Amino acid sequence: MRFLTFTSALALVAATPALSEPVFNRIASFATPQNMAEGEDHARPTSAEIITATEDGMTLIYSDSPLGVIGLVDIADPKAPKPMGNIDMGGEPTTAQVIGGMAFVGVNTSESYTAPSGKLVSVDLASKAVVAECDLGGQPDSVARAKDGSFVAVAIENERDEDLNDGDLPQMPAGYVVKLPLKDGAVDCANAQKIDVTGLAGIAPEDPEPEFIDVNAAGDIVVTLQENNHIVIIGADGKVASHFSAGAVDLAGIDTKKDGKLDFSGKKDGVLREPDGVKWLDNDHLITANEGDWKGGSRGWTIWNRDGSVVYEDGARFEQAIAAIGHYPEHRNKKGVETESIEIASFDGTTMAFVVSERASIVGVYDLTDPAAPVLKQLLPSGISPEGAVAIPSRNLFVTANEVDLVEDGGVRAHVMIYERAEGTPAYPTLTAEGTGIGWGALSALAADPATPGKLYAVSDSVYRAAPTIYTIDATQTPARITGAVVVTRDGDPAQKLDLEGIATDGEGGFWLASEGRADKLVPHAIYHVDAEGAIDKEIALPDELLAHQTRFGAEGIAVQGDRLWLAMQREWGDDPKGMVKLLAYDLKEKTWGAVHYPLEAPAEGRWMGLSEIQIDGDWAYFIERDNGTGDAAQVKHLTRVPLAQLQPAPLGSDLPVVTKELVRDLKPDLAQWNGYTAEKVEGFAIDATGTGWLVTDNDGVDDSSGETFLWSVGALR
């Protein structure tokens, strides 16, 4: 497995700033279903897409297109956001802008791609009433306001049908920009100005698709034509002042293949930027988030002079920094982390850019004191797929809107995340591989070195099936650091058909590994022994009499007790009573199997309960017992233990003894310390050489996950 050594782009993660240096940390999260009225169906999908704030910074307004509403959140106390309810927009809201006590909301009412329509809705925020509507003649996307409140501008995208001709352009009707003056705080619809932007782009000039829009202090409008890979500047007089191609960039040090492994040795030349979000840095400079959409996606962001010359090109640096903290979405290799939007604000005299990665669920915080050499200060964890962001410098706050709602899959809901800038140290990341060149993610188990304090080992699960890896972690640093990675091999090649969910040291430099099988994917339930270089030298299959009752939920942990290996099975198999899961024992000398039963807590309706880890230390066997709930649906995330004396295996097929467990720690309060939603998969636990307990979560390789990995200590357990 080849890796590109990440440069100093994330040196910030390794360094602990002085207490006098303010940093951003997440202080609260708000799930969008909280804004539903009593009696509404909370099982409906929601979203938080583009977000803004009132001028006093006390109220957030986000667009929720699935519900057709804008949602309001009271952040008078930003650490305890309160729902203020939803306001129906009579269509799909895209963006809201606030001027005084009014919110001006772009709303898509299109019947089809070929018959687009939309309106600008004026909402009195005090009464929460719609007071006016203005026909826009097409499908609105972004809405921006003049700094002096004299007008709003709307990008009318008239988006293409991605299923028609492979999404190729042109697809009429063409988009345009609308400038609407405000008179006495109300939109003057009669004097709206329709600004033609056809005939400008080198790609499909007859079919521009305006995407994002912003206004500078001089009243100039900048608009991105994302699919056309073009940027247009409209003067204060409402006429096109200039325009230029967003061009292309050559990328090196990127992962280019969706192949089940992290390999940052690839490159792509001539990748179209296809910018999405755009913001004026000042009257002469602008910044684009180069998400890509059609043929491009340069994964980064660019600072431009208004004449189209490049001041700074980030290339793959942002993406490489993201990969170093385990947030790289390997399943999205065509466009990588997909930088979605940009927010610009000044905090205590320092101009900062907040670069939002939709697919990595990360926000990069940059110091723009020198626009030609931005400095990455932090990487902030967000909810799943941040779409929009707003900075509130007057209150030292920053907020993201995260659009994905996984309610239909039983997952986490859409969220608004709130961050505060204050003295301190970054709470995230908790684990980094900065400087090592190691990409990582989906940590599914932990083990501790028996001799070295704070030295841990972790494994990746089947998300990275093409390169199953054992990672070495130094947990004595803050954040903890991945210092090495060994690929598990078979006959010299990365081992296939593994789903590593358990790891234990063998006392001789090697490891015992538990692989959770899955018959429908030809992955066997098995135990493997590897040497210090990761080479498999022993394979132990589960016995046929047990496999006759198999399900896909197999071994989720492995521990060593003398000449005996113990496996914690995740869930009941066909021969288990309901609520009882096996702890399997394999005698290495006698080559025989036995088991005991572990009693599970009763899961909530529609959920399941299972084990995720086993570790043996002293006179106890420790377990992670958890449900599959996440966010508000998470009920049980427990660290338990059983007296080792009770682990007396009976033969398979006989009546198995039932062990007595006790609760060591409720892990939900631990998971709450990062002020996001409660993570589902607490997957790894180990007790190090000093008797300190460590836990880690599995981020699922950033697939239907925010990508957040939490590694933390629960203190002395001996």
Side-chain angles (χ1 to χ4, degrees):
M1 185 163 57
R2 299 172 298 166
F3 297 106
L4 177 82
T5 299
F6 300 133
T7 64
S8 59
L10 197 60
L12 65 109
V13 173
T16 301
L19 287 177
S20 60
E21 181 179 348
V23 298
F24 288 93
N25 277 317
R26 186 168 53 197
I27 58 172
S29 60
F30 177 89
T32 51
Q34 294 181 61
N35 259 334
M36 291 188 188
E38 185 177 352
E40 283 192 72
D41 179 7
H42 284 224
R44 292 176 298 159
T46 65
S47 190
E49 294 157 287
I50 305 301
I51 194 163
T52 190
T54 53
E55 293 176 349
D56 63 4
M58 295 293 177
T59 304
L60 301 173
I61 301 104
Y62 62 86
S63 56
D64 183 340
S65 64
L67 291 184
V69 302
I70 56 170
L72 278 62
V73 184
D74 176 356
I75 56 167
D77 178 357
K79 294 182 179 179
K82 298 177 182 178
M84 296 177 66
N86 294 322
I87 304 173
D88 188 87
M89 290 290 100
E92 295 183 5
T94 57
T95 308
Q97 291 290 344
V98 177
I99 301 175
M102 299 290 291
F104 302 97
V105 188
V107 179
N108 177 19
T109 59
S110 302
E111 295 181 1
S112 66
Y113 291 106
T114 57
S117 62
K119 57 188 178 180
L120 186 70
V121 176
S122 301
V123 181
D124 181 275
L125 293 174
S127 64
K128 300 182 183 178
V130 173
V131 296
E133 294 186 355
C134 183
D135 183 17
L136 295 172
Q139 172 248 322
D141 195 335
S142 175
V143 180
R145 55 158 289 179
K147 297 291 188 289
D148 62 4
S150 61
F151 68 88
V152 294
V154 185
I156 305 298
E157 183 178 8
N158 290 346
E159 63 185 352
R160 75 192 196 282
D161 182 350
E162 296 183 23
D163 295 326
L164 179 64
N165 297 329
D166 294 325
D168 206 355
L169 296 181
Q171 291 186 27
M172 310 306 283
Y176 49 92
V177 173
V178 178
K179 182 177 179 181
L180 301 105
L182 267 65
K183 184 176 181 180
D184 299 326
V187 178
D188 183 2
C189 298
N191 287 305
Q193 186 177 6
K194 181 178 178 180
I195 302 167
D196 183 11
V197 289
T198 60
L200 306 179
I203 298 171
E206 71 274 35
D207 182 24
E209 295 200 5
E211 188 80 25
F212 211 95
I213 199 165
D214 194 39
V215 183
N216 67 14
D220 299 325
I221 300 169
V222 62
V223 58
T224 55
L225 313 182
Q226 184 173 15
E227 286 77 11
N228 310 85
N229 197 42
H230 212 73
I231 298 170
V232 177
I233 295 175
I234 299 166
D237 59 0
K239 298 179 180 179
V240 173
S242 62
H243 62 94
F244 53 89
S245 169
V249 63
D250 296 338
L251 298 174
I254 62 173
D255 193 342
T256 60
K257 296 180 180 178
K258 180 181 176 181
D259 56 4
K261 65 180 178 180
L262 294 167
D263 179 357
F264 296 96
S265 64
K267 66 177 183 177
K268 285 186 177 182
D269 294 334
V271 181
L272 300 182
R273 290 186 174 94
E274 292 186 347
D276 188 349
V278 63
K279 287 283 184 176
W280 287 100
L281 177 56
D282 52 39
N283 286 350
D284 298 313
H285 301 90
L286 52 99
I287 303 180
T288 57
N290 306 322
E291 178 197 22
D293 193 15
W294 181 25
K295 294 183 177 179
S298 63
R299 304 160 182 249
W301 57 285
T302 309
I303 301 179
W304 307 82
N305 288 310
R306 65 178 295 152
D307 65 4
S309 58
V310 173
V311 176
Y312 171 80
E313 171 55 53
D314 189 70
R317 296 182 186 91
F318 182 40
E319 181 167 275
Q320 291 166 356
I322 286 171
I325 65 166
H327 277 251
Y328 184 75
E330 194 273 337
H331 59 291
R332 300 287 303 186
N333 275 331
K334 180 180 179 182
K335 295 185 291 181
V337 298
E338 294 190 32
T339 45
E340 174 81 13
S341 59
I342 297 277
E343 173 68 330
I344 305 293
S346 178
F347 286 83
D348 296 329
T350 300
T351 301
M352 294 183 169
F354 300 85
V355 182
V356 177
S357 165
E358 179 183 10
R359 297 299 176 179
S361 298
I362 281 288
V363 179
V365 182
Y366 290 83
D367 182 332
L368 297 185
T369 300
D370 179 359
V375 178
L376 177 58
K377 303 296 290 184
Q378 280 185 263
L379 295 172
L380 303 180
S382 196
I384 304 178
S385 293
E387 180 82 4
V390 61
I392 310 174
S394 63
R395 302 192 64 203
N396 279 320
L397 299 177
F398 173 73
V399 182
T400 62
N402 303 276
E403 67 175 340
V404 168
D405 189 327
L406 298 175
V407 63
E408 293 177 337
D409 298 320
V412 72
R413 308 306 301 268
H415 274 76
V416 170
M417 301 287 185
I418 304 171
Y419 310 78
E420 183 178 49
R421 186 173 185 260
E423 289 187 356
T425 57
Y428 198 85
T430 62
L431 180 63
T432 178
E434 187 274 327
T436 66
I438 298 169
W440 62 276
L443 303 184
S444 58
L446 275 185
D449 185 279
T452 307
K455 187 174 183 180
L456 307 174
Y457 303 100
V459 291
S460 58
D461 64 21
S462 60
V463 170
Y464 305 115
R465 62 195 178 279
T469 302
I470 300 171
Y471 300 97
T472 303
I473 298 171
D474 179 0
T476 66
Q477 302 187 48
T478 302
R481 295 184 61 83
I482 291 178
T483 59
V486 173
V487 176
V488 177
T489 60
R490 183 186 282 116
D491 300 326
D493 295 318
Q496 304 297 298
K497 302 298 182 183
L498 297 182
D499 182 6
L500 300 183
E501 296 285 350
I503 181 171
T505 57
D506 68 357
E508 299 177 352
F511 301 92
W512 289 102
L513 306 175
S515 180
E516 181 180 25
R518 186 164 178 178
D520 62 336
K521 294 189 176 182
L522 302 180
V523 178
H525 297 278
I527 299 170
Y528 299 90
H529 183 268
V530 299
D531 63 20
E533 284 71 45
I536 295 174
D537 55 29
K538 185 176 294 186
E539 211 167 313
I540 304 170
L542 268 59
D544 291 340
E545 60 188 299
L546 186 62
L547 293 175
H549 307 284
Q550 69 178 292
T551 72
R552 55 171 288 196
F553 301 99
E556 282 276 326
I558 189 168
V560 180
Q561 182 196 21
D563 292 325
R564 184 178 287 160
L565 300 178
W566 283 97
L567 299 178
M569 304 299 282
Q570 186 176 59
R571 293 175 61 184
E572 304 98 327
W573 276 20
D575 57 341
D576 292 316
K578 184 177 181 181
M580 292 288 177
V581 66
K582 289 188 189 73
L583 306 179
L584 285 176
Y586 180 73
D587 190 306
L588 289 166
K589 285 188 174 180
E590 301 298 328
K591 296 182 172 52
T592 56
W593 289 89
V596 298
H597 267 139
Y598 176 103
L600 296 170
E601 297 294 306
E605 184 178 355
R607 297 289 175 179
W608 55 257
M609 195 73 63
L611 298 180
S612 287
E613 181 68 286
I614 178 174
Q615 289 287 309
I616 291 176
D617 186 80
D619 295 329
W620 301 93
Y622 291 83
F623 303 87
I624 294 174
E625 182 179 350
R626 66 169 180 86
D627 61 13
N628 66 329
T630 185
D632 293 340
Q635 299 295 317
V636 175
K637 312 294 177 188
H638 287 171
L639 179 64
T640 67
R641 69 181 184 180
V642 169
L644 201 58
Q646 291 192 14
L647 295 190
Q648 301 297 326
L652 297 178
S654 67
D655 290 335
L656 301 181
V658 179
V659 299
T660 303
K661 68 181 180 183
E662 65 178 64
L663 178 65
V664 176
R665 190 180 185 96
D666 182 355
L667 301 176
K668 285 181 63 182
D670 289 1
L671 294 167
Q673 67 184 289
W674 291 281
N675 297 310
Y677 63 82
T678 301
E680 175 196 347
K681 293 188 175 181
V682 188
E683 291 278 278
F685 172 71
I687 299 176
D688 74 6
T690 66
T692 300
W694 296 91
L695 291 123
V696 73
T697 60
D698 180 349
N699 73 0
D700 278 334
V702 205
D703 189 4
D704 283 345
S705 163
S706 69
E708 295 174 42
T709 295
F710 302 122
L711 175 71
W712 79 101
S713 166
V714 292
L717 291 176
R718 288 186 197 144

